[in-house]
Amino acid sequence: MVFSMELLWLFAAAMLISSIGFKNYVWFISLGYGLSIAGEGLLMLFLFGEELTLGTVICCVLFVIYGLRLSGYLAMREFGSNSYKKHMKGEIKDGKFVPFGVKVAIWITCALLYVTQVSGVLYRLQNHCKDNASVYVGAAVMLLGLALESAADVQKSHAKKINPRRFVDSGLYRVVRCPNYLGEMIFWTGALLSSIAAATGLQWFVVSVGYVGIIFVMFSGARRLELRQNKNYSNDPEYQKYVKSVPIMVPFVPLYSVEKYKWLVA
């Protein structure tokens, strides 16, 4: 079954949680995103009870940890960092002039994306699948992605405290320019792997929409960051050397810029 009552419950939860975006436009895709993933993980633990297996429990718990960590990091940065607010003033749209209908469309689209992202684990539970190697491999990859993203955020925060005016090129940022986005893509690749031998038929379409959607969002975010950094550091010769020698997203893949790809909506 592609659509089910449990899927509707997850969608309703994502809609409710991400509605904080009406308070602040960017929260649809920041705080609302992290909290929605955490909420969906908790809800699956509640909805399926005795049908849970060790593998699905681990995946759901990782969703919760991932979402709470991300939303906590974003909240601390937004509410606790005066330098961040000052630096980002004018860089991020406040949404005051975005029509209400557009906000509603974004709200619904985001909630749908957040549901499809966790749908692989949902279908594993719905289809009463026993644990197999893919769910544990997927969980391990999710944990790797979570660790990488967390380390990247910590390293960036530390570097910005030392020199808030300089771009970050230390630690993981020596390997790729967006290691936090790379960590996120690895996390959701793990979630996809956990669906192997669990999702069937059209369920795979839903799972694929979620995976392709979040990969697109990550590359869009990388383009948005690149445009902002080019604006701020274009006259810095060290920055010019950095962006020409360090891949923007994936290690060892010589993709150094996505600025020209305007279809990556920024």
Side-chain angles (χ1 to χ4, degrees), residues 37-224:
I37 298 301
E40 290 172 333
L42 282 172
L43 188 55
M44 282 192 284
L45 291 173
F46 173 79
L47 288 175
F48 287 94
E50 295 181 357
E51 297 177 42
L52 292 165
T53 63
L54 177 60
T56 51
V57 167
I58 292 173
C59 289
C60 288
V61 170
L62 286 172
F63 286 146
V64 175
I65 295 173
Y66 164 87
L68 292 180
R69 188 216 68 85
L70 177 61
S71 55
Y73 170 76
L74 294 173
M76 286 191 296
R77 190 177 66 176
E78 183 162 338
F79 299 120
S81 175
N82 291 326
S83 61
Y84 175 79
K85 287 187 223 179
K86 183 178 179 180
H87 179 70
M88 296 303 294
K89 188 176 181 180
E91 298 283 351
I92 298 178
K93 298 177 182 178
D94 57 17
K96 290 181 180 178
F97 303 105
V98 177
F100 180 76
V102 174
K103 289 184 179 181
V104 171
I106 293 172
W107 176 40
I108 295 173
T109 302
C110 286
L112 285 171
L113 175 61
Y114 304 157
V115 171
T116 57
Q117 284 178 246
V118 303
S119 61
V121 175
L122 172 68
Y123 290 138
R124 175 171 285 278
L125 288 164
Q126 279 187 345
N127 296 340
H128 308 288
C129 295
K130 295 182 179 179
D131 286 346
N132 57 9
S134 66
V135 72
Y136 292 113
V137 170
V141 174
M142 290 169 71
L143 184 59
L144 173 63
L146 178 60
L148 179 62
E149 185 176 12
S150 301
D153 286 341
V154 170
Q155 290 176 358
K156 185 172 185 177
S157 295
H158 179 70
K160 285 296 184 180
K161 285 181 181 179
I162 296 174
N163 190 348
R165 296 180 179 275
R166 193 181 191 280
F167 63 95
V168 180
D169 62 346
S170 57
L172 292 169
Y173 292 83
R174 292 181 180 274
V175 182
V176 289
R177 305 208 307 275
C178 299
N180 49 343
Y181 293 161
L182 172 62
E184 178 125 356
M185 292 194 299
I186 291 173
F187 181 89
W188 291 111
T189 297
L192 179 71
L193 290 174
S194 73
S195 309
I196 294 176
T200 60
L202 288 177
Q203 291 178 350
W204 265 113
F205 173 77
V206 177
V207 173
S208 299
V209 166
Y211 182 71
V212 172
I214 193 58
I215 298 300
F216 177 84
V217 169
M218 290 300 102
F219 273 93
S220 295
R223 180 174 184 266
R224 188 164 54 246

Side-chain angles (χ1 to χ4, degrees), residues 14-34:
M15 287 281 284
L16 177 63
I17 296 170
S18 63
S19 64
I20 63 174
F22 287 104
K23 174 69 175 177
N24 187 322
Y25 177 70
V26 74
W27 290 354
F28 281 126
I29 56 173
S30 60
L31 295 178
Y33 168 48

Side-chain angles (χ1 to χ4, degrees), residues 233-242:
Y233 309 117
S234 58
N235 296 323
D236 187 339
E238 288 189 9
Y239 173 74
Q240 292 300 330
K241 181 180 178 181
Y242 175 63

